[in-house]
Amino acid sequence: AYFFILLNASVVSLDYLDRARNAGVDFGKLALTYNFYPHTDTGMGWTDFKRKNWMLKDYGLRTQAFVPGDALKRFPLYEGLPTVEKHRGVSPYVAAVELIHEANVDDVFIGDSKASIKNLRYIVDYQKDNILNIECSLLPQYQQLYDQVIEVRKDMPEKLIRLSLPRKPDIPICNTLNRRKGTITMQNKLAQRYSGEVSLIKSNLPFEARSNVIGFISPEYVKLLDFIDSSTKIIFRRLT
């Protein structure tokens, strides 16, 4: 009979894995689960974590890590229970997306006693359908953009994310502000055939007469822009 075994990914060595494979251990029956760290400043460093997890994935292993909760911290320290120190105090949703997208983690667990249902739903949407729910504030005339699944253009610019929404001619010129990271813009009639194109701004950009600012992403969710690729879909959600 075979057992499914969870090994401590935080301390397991590659030499151990080589010896296990040479001994005929079925890696399909293994999962590598990282520790969580209740005490501030004791969590794993992000660079080392990423490097180690990508190596474990090269072995064909399933990996699992923890993010903090946002509804109820666990006793006795109540400081959050992440695997990676940089995620302490971060939304479990944003932390989970970073683990999955940047470090190739398979399973994400909530280390603390409780997380909000909203964030759990957001995590599942990303795991199942590669959908990012992004809470934002849109100007009144653009409320129709809320709550619809929007695809991202396959050709990815460096400083902004172009959304695959229908363009509209003759968009009036208004709110042509500096385009800070997290700004949502729509091209106006000065952009000619690009009029009506909607973008998410990934880097701080200057004033552009052709770009109307139509909304702002909530600061808690701006980090998600770094994890959007050509296969990602997004849903704008009203701030709650």
Side-chain angles (χ1 to χ4, degrees):
Y2 286 97
F3 296 91
F4 195 84
I5 298 175
L6 305 182
L7 298 178
N8 187 337
S10 301
V11 297
V12 71
S13 68
L14 300 183
D15 176 65
Y16 177 90
L17 294 175
D18 286 334
R19 287 187 284 117
R21 185 162 56 187
N22 292 336
V25 172
D26 180 0
F27 277 16
K29 297 294 182 181
L30 291 181
L32 278 290
T33 309
Y34 290 90
N35 280 343
F36 50 70
Y37 297 92
H39 195 299
T40 298
D41 296 326
T42 61
M44 294 183 68
W46 179 237
T47 300
D48 286 339
F49 175 85
K50 281 197 298 183
R51 181 168 54 245
K52 180 158 194 176
N53 201 66
W54 280 102
M55 286 192 297
L56 294 176
K57 294 302 297 179
D58 286 342
Y59 277 74
L61 290 160
R62 187 172 195 89
T63 61
Q64 305 171 327
F66 290 84
V67 297
D70 63 339
L72 180 63
K73 304 297 186 188
R74 209 180 76 175
F75 73 93
L77 297 180
Y78 304 100
E79 295 174 8
L81 289 171
T83 291
V84 176
E85 184 61 34
K86 68 175 285 190
H87 290 154
R88 197 179 304 275
V90 171
S91 158
Y93 167 49
V94 175
V97 172
E98 185 164 34
L99 288 176
I100 295 165
H101 189 270
E102 299 291 298
N104 203 19
V105 170
D106 294 291
D107 302 314
V108 176
F109 302 141
I110 306 297
D112 283 298
S113 300
K114 192 175 182 182
S116 68
I117 294 298
K118 177 188 75 174
N119 276 323
L120 293 176
R121 286 174 177 157
Y122 286 177
I123 292 169
V124 170
D125 279 348
Y126 186 69
Q127 288 178 314
K128 288 178 59 179
D129 301 311
N130 207 20
I131 290 174
L132 284 180
N133 291 274
I134 298 177
E135 294 193 3
C136 63
S137 178
L138 293 166
L139 294 178
Q141 60 268 44
Y142 300 104
Q143 303 290 294
Q144 74 278 6
L145 294 177
Y146 284 126
D147 303 325
Q148 61 170 297
V149 178
I150 303 171
E151 294 192 354
V152 173
R153 281 182 59 107
K154 304 306 180 188
D155 43 356
M156 297 289 293
E158 182 179 3
K159 298 179 180 179
L160 52 83
I161 297 155
R162 300 170 70 190
L163 303 184
S164 293
L165 288 167
R167 295 171 180 168
K168 298 179 181 179
D170 301 318
I171 296 293
I173 303 165
C174 64
N175 296 329
T176 52
L177 311 172
N178 286 346
R179 294 165 295 161
R180 310 295 294 178
K181 183 174 182 177
T183 301
I184 305 167
T185 64
M186 177 180 285
Q187 297 303 91
N188 60 45
K189 62 184 179 181
L190 294 178
Q192 301 182 44
R193 68 186 184 93
Y194 291 94
S195 178
E197 181 170 297
V198 178
S199 297
L200 311 179
I201 305 302
K202 292 171 62 176
S203 302
N204 291 338
L205 296 174
F207 156 85
E208 163 64 78
R210 296 174 293 185
S211 297
N212 296 346
V213 173
I214 67 168
F216 299 92
I217 295 170
S218 172
E220 184 179 18
Y221 294 80
V222 169
K223 181 66 176 173
L224 293 174
L225 297 178
D226 297 332
F227 313 136
I228 294 175
D229 56 35
S230 59
S231 64
T232 309
K233 295 180 283 291
I234 71 163
I235 300 177
F236 290 129
R237 300 293 191 188
R238 288 175 174 84
L239 281 173
T240 58

